[in-house]
Amino acid sequence: MTTTVRVNNEIKEQVMPIFNTLGISLSDAINMFLHQVKIYNGIPFDLIVRAPNAQLHEAMEETEQILAEYANGTRKAKPFLNAKAMLEEMNAAMDAEDAAEGIL
């Protein structure tokens, strides 16, 4: 049986090299997807909206600010003798932050 499927050209161009590397055609890939739907009795992957929560959003903004400070020279990297010394200082800073926020 023949079925016609409309596929976005941009995504098709992006996935075809992957299918070629795997040695499968677009038709093979679609058939594999349909078999997985049958096996799972549904879509074989989670359909969720991944949105950052408030804490992650705040951390992302803080990271952008820190990167900008390094880029414009207002923040300098601190040298450490080794990774252990760096981790000890990071842990001490986090402990101090937690204590200031009343988290023990």
Side-chain angles (χ1 to χ4, degrees):
M1 172 167 57
T2 301
T3 302
T4 303
V5 179
R6 293 177 195 256
V7 178
N8 177 287
N9 282 335
E10 186 177 328
I11 191 69
K12 181 180 175 185
E13 288 174 11
Q14 293 171 356
V15 300
M16 287 310 297
I18 298 167
F19 294 155
N20 290 335
T21 300
L22 295 170
I24 63 174
S25 67
L26 179 59
S27 181
D28 293 333
I30 291 170
N31 278 307
M32 284 189 242
F33 171 75
L34 295 175
H35 281 285
Q36 289 294 303
V37 168
K38 180 181 171 188
I39 290 167
Y40 279 82
N41 197 31
I43 302 297
F45 46 83
D46 293 335
L47 295 174
I48 59 174
V49 175
R50 295 192 189 271
N53 61 25
Q55 184 179 9
L56 179 57
H57 186 68
E58 182 180 325
M60 290 165 52
E61 287 179 349
E62 181 181 355
T63 300
E64 288 176 9
Q65 179 182 350
I66 290 169
L67 290 173
E69 290 171 2
Y70 279 119
N72 68 25
T74 58
R75 183 185 286 242
K76 303 287 184 202
K78 179 178 178 179
F80 292 95
L81 294 175
N82 54 45
K84 183 179 178 185
M86 179 189 68
L87 291 172
E88 287 173 352
E89 184 166 319
M90 287 174 55
N91 286 331
M94 288 190 298
D95 290 345
E97 220 174 83
D98 288 347
E101 293 177 10
I103 301 171
L104 298 177

